[in-house]
Amino acid sequence: MLALVEEFRDDLVALRRDLHAHPELARTEERTTRTVAERFVAAGLTPRGLIGPGLVVDVGDAPAGARRVALRADLDGLPVPDACGLPFASQTRGVSHACGHDVHTAALVGAGLVLARLHAEGALPGGVRLLFQPAEEVQPGGSLDLMEAGVLDGVSRVLALHCEPRLDVGQVGTRIGAITSASDEIHITVTGPGGHTSRPYLTGDVVFALGEIITQVPSILGRRIDPRWGVNLTWGAVRAGQAVNAIPASGTLGGTLRCLDVRAWEQLGTELNRAVAAVVEPLGVQVEIRIVKGVPPVVNDATCTSLLERAAGEILGPDAVTLTEQSLGGEDFAWYLTKVPGAMARLGTRTPGGRTYDLHQGELVVDERAIGHGAALLARAAMLALCEPV
C-alpha cells in the first residue's frame, strides 16, 4: 500500500502545503473544497458538493449486499496566527491549520486516489465513501450537516485519523472506548439589586456569588459524580462590575464541562443546575444557566479499532501501534459514531528526536512523512473493513 501511495507522494505534500498556505475558517472552506474536488476530477472521479463547503466522493461500488465504508477528514483552520516559519506558512492573517486538518485532508485524498486505482484494477471489494467535512472546530459542527445530508446511508463503518504531535512519525495511537471527551459550553448569569460595597448585607453580592460558583461547583460535582466518568468543569471567562466601590447588578461566567462517558454527559446538566442552585441559594441573587451542548465523546468500537491497528501493523510494522491516552478535548467525529460503528486513531507527526508541539499552537510543525502514512493506513483499513466476514 505504501508503494502505491509513493506514486502520489509529491502531489500530496504539495497539496498539503497549498492548503496550509490558504487556511479557511469553519463554514468558509470554499477554496479548500474546490482544491480537493479538482484532484478527484483529474483522477476521473465524480465528487459531489454539499450545501455550502464540504465534499463527498464515492469510490467503488456497493450494490445490494455489498459493504460501504466511510473515511472522514476535516477541512477547517483555526483563528490562530501561523508561527511555523515555513515557506508555505499561512497567507491568511490570523488563521492557520494549527490542528493539522491540512494533513488529514491530504492523507484522505491520497487514500482516495489509491482506492480508485485498486477499483480500476478490480481489487476493491465494495464501496468507500470519502467525507471531506467542513466546520469541525465550531459547534454545532459540520458532521451534523453531513449526517443530515445522508452521507452515512448504507455505511457500515466509519474511520478517521487525527494528527498527534506527541507521537513520532511512523507511530499510531489507538484505544478502544472513549478516546476524546464530551464538551459543552456553560454560560451562567447572576443578577441582583446591586449596591454599595460598604453595605453588602443590604443587597445580593453578585461578585461574591460568582466567586462561590467558581470555587464550589467543580468540587460539588466531584462528590456527586463517579470520578471514573472523567468529569471536568473549568472556567474560562468571568465578567462583573466596573467600579471598585459598587456591587454590580449582574455578572457572567463561562466555561466548559467535559466528560468521558456518554451516560454522564446526558445527566451532567441536571447535576450542574442542582449544584449552582445550592451554592447561590443563601446569597440573595438570581441565577440563569445556559448549557450549549457540544459533542459527545468519541467512543471507539473494538472491531473498528482492530482494523486500524491491523492496517498500521501491516503498513508501518509490528511496533507502530501504541496505546494512546484519553483526551478531554472535543471532536465532532463523535456524532458519526452515534449512528455507525467506527474509530479514530492518532497519527504520529513528530520528527524523532525533534521538538514536541501541541495542537492549536501556531508554531505547530508536522513531519510530512505522516501524510503518506495516513493515506496508506486509511486505504488499507478500508480494504480490511470491506473484506470482513459477514
Side-chain angles (χ1 to χ4, degrees):
M1 196 68 72
L2 270 177
L4 275 175
V5 171
E6 186 64 20
E7 295 184 34
F8 305 108
R9 182 181 66 84
D10 290 345
D11 287 341
L12 295 177
V13 170
L15 170 62
R16 182 261 164 164
R17 293 182 178 184
D18 178 70
L19 298 178
H20 192 90
H22 302 93
E24 296 172 298
L25 293 175
R27 305 195 186 283
T28 70
E29 308 95 324
E30 301 290 349
R31 182 190 184 279
T32 305
T33 298
R34 289 195 306 273
T35 301
V36 171
E38 288 166 1
R39 297 304 195 278
F40 287 113
V41 170
L45 295 169
T46 306
R48 53 190 171 95
L50 304 166
I51 298 175
L55 203 65
V56 178
V57 184
D58 281 328
V59 181
D61 305 309
R67 288 188 171 170
R68 187 185 299 281
V69 176
L71 305 175
R72 175 269 205 172
D74 32 19
L75 302 176
D76 51 330
L78 282 163
V80 174
D82 194 333
C84 71
L86 296 169
F88 51 90
S90 172
Q91 298 176 23
T92 307
R93 183 182 296 273
V95 183
S96 69
H97 272 297
C99 200
H101 293 187
D102 52 340
V103 174
H104 304 167
T105 298
L108 185 54
V109 169
L113 296 176
V114 167
L115 292 165
R117 175 75 61 83
L118 293 173
H119 175 60
E121 296 171 354
L124 189 64
V128 180
R129 179 163 291 161
L130 312 177
L131 309 178
F132 293 91
Q133 176 205 308
E136 192 279 326
E137 295 288 358
V138 297
Q139 299 302 329
S143 60
L144 296 174
D145 299 329
L146 267 69
M147 289 166 63
E148 187 175 349
V151 300
L152 294 183
D153 293 349
V155 169
S156 61
R157 299 276 189 264
V158 58
L159 306 172
L161 298 175
H162 199 294
C163 287
E164 177 48 88
R166 293 171 297 174
L167 278 181
D168 284 348
V169 67
Q171 289 188 300
V172 176
T174 63
R175 172 180 284 272
I176 295 171
I179 190 173
T180 69
S181 170
S183 178
D184 296 338
E185 291 183 10
I186 307 301
H187 301 272
I188 296 176
T189 301
V190 178
T191 57
H196 201 288
T197 56
S198 66
R199 295 180 289 275
Y201 52 90
L202 296 181
T203 187
D205 191 336
V206 164
V207 175
F208 182 80
L210 289 168
E212 293 292 279
I213 294 170
I214 289 169
T215 56
Q216 291 195 42
V217 171
S219 298
I220 293 171
L221 290 179
R223 293 299 178 270
R224 289 187 174 176
I225 296 173
D226 190 329
R228 292 173 296 182
W229 290 352
V231 173
N232 177 270
L233 173 60
T234 300
W235 307 111
V238 58
R239 301 178 183 86
Q242 304 218 354
V244 298
N245 61 348
I247 297 172
S250 67
T252 60
L253 181 60
T256 58
L257 183 59
R258 304 172 186 269
C259 70
L260 294 167
D261 187 276
V262 173
R263 294 165 300 173
W265 184 57
E266 293 169 349
Q267 72 180 64
L268 273 178
T270 299
E271 292 296 339
L272 177 71
N273 280 299
R274 288 176 179 170
V276 173
V279 167
V280 303
E281 194 276 331
L283 301 180
V285 297
Q286 292 76 49
V287 63
E288 177 185 338
I289 303 171
R290 182 168 63 94
I291 301 175
V292 180
K293 298 299 281 185
V295 294
V298 171
V299 181
N300 281 345
D301 171 75
T303 299
C304 294
T305 302
S306 176
L307 292 171
L308 289 166
E309 290 174 345
R310 286 172 57 195
E314 292 179 18
I315 299 297
L316 299 171
D319 298 326
V321 177
T322 184
L323 178 66
T324 190
E325 64 185 16
Q326 293 173 306
S327 167
L328 288 182
E331 163 60 70
D332 87 339
F333 180 72
W335 286 117
Y336 299 114
L337 305 189
T338 65
K339 302 297 182 182
V340 175
M344 170 176 279
R346 295 194 170 117
L347 180 69
T349 63
R350 179 177 60 193
T351 300
R355 175 178 168 182
T356 299
Y357 295 91
D358 197 5
L359 297 173
H360 291 214
Q361 180 183 63
E363 296 180 336
L364 175 68
V365 173
V366 305
D367 189 315
E368 291 182 320
R369 288 175 290 179
I371 301 168
H373 295 166
L377 174 55
L378 287 171
R380 183 56 184 156
M383 288 287 288
L384 291 172
L386 292 174
C387 293
E388 279 185 287
V390 178

